Structures are given as C-alpha cells and as structure tokens.
Amino acid sequence: GKTSGENALTAGRRDVIDKLYIREASSFSHKKDKGAYDQILKHAEANQVPIQRVSKHDLNMMTDNRPHQDFVLCCSPLQPSTISN
C-alpha cells in the first residue's frame, strides 16, 4: 500500500528492497492521492529500486487478495529494535 511502501522506502530500516510492483493500468492521475503516489515513485527511483508494472490480478495474488492500493513493495522484514533499561 501507499503509506507502508513510502515508509519502507524513506525510513532506511530495511536491509533489502528488491522491487516495487505497480498496477499496469494505473496512471494515478485521476486518484485523490496522486501526490502520495508520485512520492512513492520518486523515492523508489532515488533508491534505485526496480519498478515493474503488473496486472491487478498479479498484485492480488502477491497480497493474497488483501488491499494493496495498486502498489506492492518487496523488501526484507523489519528487524525488531531492542529496548534497554
């Protein structure tokens, strides 16, 4: 999704960010969150993350039909932070 994808691209806490998948038929120009979509693309390009356009079906399969907002970012999981006394 847009918020989790943008956070992962900007926080610098992921060891690996493999690829950003975007719905092929989306131009995002008609969406109310166009600014957020533009930011995700900008951050992906700045971090040299490959961007691949795929079908909505492919995005649905990647997410087990969970909401994705036309974006799927493949990256390593977050490592938990340790809390010290």
Side-chain angles (χ1 to χ4, degrees):
K2 64 179 168 70
T3 301
S4 57
E6 186 171 12
N7 289 341
L9 288 165
T10 59
R13 296 183 55 205
R14 306 284 175 156
D15 292 332
V16 176
I17 299 178
D18 290 320
K19 190 178 282 191
L20 175 64
Y21 294 94
I22 301 175
R23 183 175 168 191
E24 63 189 351
S26 279
S27 68
F28 307 113
S29 61
H30 65 284
K31 297 192 180 240
K32 67 177 182 174
D33 297 325
K34 182 181 181 335
Y37 292 110
D38 290 343
Q39 286 298 311
I40 292 170
L41 294 175
K42 177 180 150 186
H43 292 303
E45 290 169 357
N47 289 303
Q48 299 178 339
V49 174
I51 299 170
Q52 183 174 344
R53 293 191 176 272
V54 296
S55 69
K56 182 176 181 179
H57 172 76
D58 290 342
L59 293 174
N60 290 339
M61 296 300 290
M62 287 182 218
T63 63
D64 292 326
N65 288 312
R66 290 188 304 265
H68 50 70
Q69 298 172 310
D70 294 343
F71 285 101
V72 173
L73 183 66
C74 292
C75 57
S76 61
L78 282 174
Q79 297 301 318
S81 300
T82 56
I83 300 173
S84 59
N85 293 336

